[in-house]
Every structure is written in structure tokens, then in C-alpha cells.
Amino acid sequence: MGGGVHEEAGNRGPSYTVTCEDYVHVVEFSPFDSGSPGSLLAYGGNLFVVVAVCRFQEEDLEVEGLEFNTLRVFHHGVRVDTLAWSPESRLDKLPQVIRFCTAAADNKLRLLTSDLKDSHEVKEIEGHSSYINHLVFEPVEGKQIASVSDDHTCRVWDLDGKETALFKLRSPGMSVCWHPAEVLKLMVAEKRGTIRFYDLLSQQAILSLDCGQIPLMSADWCLANSIKVGAVVGTDWVIWDVTRSSYPQRKKPCHVDRARLFRWSRANENLFSTTGCPGKINSQLLVHHLGHPQPVMIGSSSVGGGLSWHRSLPLCVTGGDRKLSFWMTEM
């Protein structure tokens, strides 16, 4: 499932591509330190999840371009729609631990834990009655998972698959975020344009943000600055300062057809990326900087599934037809 690494010239194409054996529906860099000099990355296709470590010349001069090593291919048996890393994944201890959770078209979560040798456990978690759009681990201990679904709920689970909290929504849940600086709060974004923050102790909503338009497709809570929240709604990106107003501070049209994903850079609070809907001819990747009126990068290849930022470099990855594309932003 790994494959050839190619370097592509030109600012508009990807900085690097990796060939895969399947269509890539979702791809995620781990946002956590795994104790390895490289970055953990997982991507999901129609039947498999592939876990790899990658290292870039921008962080290590001894690397030529991109070093991409596949650690393990996990048979999944059903299309992977979304995926989240656990902070418990470590490569610097023995036994090594890889842990992540997927959501699939059968409305189940699957918690996968492996030592990359003999021990390999898959736990199926059931409860959602419709498509699961997004999920996330509690980012400090990693002992809970939150998921949002078209069934108008956000649910919190322990690692045994027991539901520990249920939030009823007024429309499909599109994104859920858990911030390491605010672990007792959960951010839930709904398709009808509302983003709510829930207190996990009282299980009550404590703050809500309003897009003022629909449909909200994706939202993200800025890791580098927890007062910033961003989303894509309709064809626009929108950004809030949660200390100032429930309405967006900034908003701008970005994609002709409809925007699909919004992700903040993990290293720079002014940098974020958006993608158009997969399948559209001009469904490109855009990288935006809050200090610049126009996108700072326009990715030319049509984008498939997934969008994720490296934990320290200004670099994001997108999935597509049998390939991963890595885009370095020149700052």
C-alpha cells in the first residue's frame, strides 16, 4: 500500500506525492508527539487503513524530499469515512502502541489498537443510527472518543465502547473538536450553521456561534489559539473570535461549487486550508493566511477525501485517486 515517492515541480502542484493502492477517502497526520522523529500518518480507503511514518527535508536535511515508511496495513473490510488518532500512540516505547478510531459507512466506530507485531485488536462501537461525519479523541489522556452523526447526535464513548454522554442536536453533526487547553469542553458544529460548546461535566451548552447561513460542512477549533474557530459554509470560509461575538469576525467566498473541509494549521494561528467538494473538476485545495487578501496557495490537482496539517510544518496532506498529495506552503 506504500509506494513510489515523487517530487513535483511548480508552486501549484503538490510538493510531494505518494502512490497508494486504493482511493484515499481520508488522511490524518497525528497531532500528537509519538516519540518518533517522523510524523505518524494514517489514510483510509475502501477496504484498508494504512499507517505510516513520514519525514520531510524541511525538518531534516538528511532526508531527500520525503521519506515515507509504511508501518502496517490494517484490513478494514468496509470504506473508511473518517479517522482520528489517539494521543496514546507511541513509537518510542516497547511494546509500541498504535491506536486510532475510524467511522465507516455501516454507522459503526472501530477502535484499532496494535503493537505493530502480534497483538492487534479491533473493537466495534455501535449506537449511531446514521452516517458518522467526524470523530475525535480526548487529546490529553485519550480515554474517550466523541463522534457526530447525521442522526442529530453527538455521543461520547469510553474505550470499552460504552456511551458516557449524549448531546441531542437540531441538525446533522458535521464536526467535533476537543482542545488540549480546554479538555472539559467539546465543540460541536451542526449543518444548519450553529456551533456549540458543551461543558462535559454539566453536559450543558455554554456558548454558541452562528454562521448566519447554511449549510455548514466542516468546522475546526484552532490548536494554536483557542479563541479562534473557523468553518466552511456554502461557498465561504468564516472565522470567529469567540471572546467577541457569536457572529463571524471574518468571512470570504472561497470555492465556486461548495466548500467541503476547513482545517487550521497546527503550528500557525493565521494559516488555514479549505477544500472544495470531491468529484468537482475545480475542487482544489486552497491555503489561506489571515494577513493576505487572496489565498497564499492554490493546489491544482483535484482533491479527493481528507485534509490534515502536519503538527509543526506549514504542510498539509490531501487524499485522492490512489495517491496522497503533500503541499508545503512557502511563508
Side-chain angles (χ1 to χ4, degrees), residues 222-279:
C222 182
L223 184 65
N225 184 346
S226 64
I227 69 169
K228 287 183 173 178
V229 171
V232 284
V233 53
T235 57
D236 303 352
W237 60 256
V238 292
I239 287 173
W240 293 262
D241 170 341
V242 300
T243 62
R244 300 199 38 194
S245 167
S246 62
Y247 289 99
Q249 294 299 128
R250 317 237 338 225
K251 132 179 175 176
K252 191 163 269 193
C254 53
H255 294 274
V256 181
D257 290 305
R258 183 180 285 179
R260 177 64 191 90
L261 294 172
F262 180 108
R263 294 285 184 270
W264 288 105
S265 159
R266 287 167 175 153
N268 182 334
E269 65 172 85
N270 292 310
L271 201 60
F272 61 97
S273 53
T274 59
T275 61
C277 283

